[in-house]
Amino acid sequence: EAGVVQSPRYKIIEKKQPVAFWCNPISGHNTLYWYRQNLGQGPELLIRYENEEAVDDSQLPKDRFSAERLKGVDSTLKIQPAELGDSAVYLCASRGSRVSHEQYFGPGTRLTVT
Amino acid sequence: AQKVTQAQTEISVVEKEDVTLDCVYETRDTTYYLFWYKQPPSGELVFLIRRNSFDEQNEISGRYSWNFQKSTSSFNFTITASQVVDSAVYFCALSEARGGADGLTFGKGTHLIIQP
């Protein structure tokens, strides 16, 4: 079974530029999460999807961040415009059923804003 | 609000030594889930274990064991006879109930260094 796929793995952009990250969850996983991990810290939740519905986006900085999960499968996280403080690793995770509580993480996208 | 504290920022031991990683959590829910994840240098978070709040039984998996104590709100992780491949950052995490679909609240992680 393929794991969570993310692309790109690395991205370097200048501040004020837009950037987008893509995630393909494990097949059949209805719940999808985006996390941000700053250097030396644990991941922090940005948004959670149940199928195509964003059910928890309270931690998403909505002035510059947006996300979508069309058709309830792949998801895209966008930042526009990027700021220096957005440099971090952006992790996508997915979860199967309500019985199984484990979240499975992708390799992440390391964003550097210069 | 929920919180996870991993007080040990970095631990360094010599191979074959036993090592325990501490995790203390805070939550107002009576039903919750605790996790440990491993993050090797490659960066991908690897799931190790999940424990339900109503199951205080300790668990052993090979060289890994976990001690869950609700009385002290702790969920500690022990590696027996450590190996160089165990070197990684280890995260403890908490998820409150409501179907268990909540996002995880992570601690800051413990960087474990196993020296040959």
Side-chain angles (χ1 to χ4, degrees), chain A residues 4 9 31 33 35 37 40-45 48 50 56 91 95 98-107, chain B residues 33 35 37 39 42-47 49-50 52 91 95 98-109:
Chain A
V4 177
R9 290 295 311 277
T31 309
Y33 308 80
Y35 290 84
Q37 185 176 19
Q41 303 292 315
E44 295 176 326
L45 179 69
R48 171 170 67 97
E50 292 291 342
D56 182 1
L91 295 162
R95 192 186 74 121
R98 286 185 170 273
V99 175
S100 169
H101 300 289
E102 298 87 71
Q103 296 179 24
Y104 295 92
F105 285 80
Chain B
Y33 303 86
F35 304 79
Y37 282 84
Q39 189 173 43
S42 61
E44 191 160 342
L45 280 159
V46 178
F47 167 78
I49 190 172
R50 181 201 79 204
N52 307 327
F91 290 96
S95 174
R98 294 180 287 167
D102 286 358
L104 297 171
T105 296
F106 285 85
K108 292 187 176 182

Side-chain angles (χ1 to χ4, degrees), chain B residues 9-21:
Chain B
T9 304
E10 183 175 291
I11 300 175
S12 181
V13 301
V14 177
E15 198 172 20
K16 297 185 184 177
E17 287 186 12
D18 298 347
V19 58
T20 295
L21 309 181

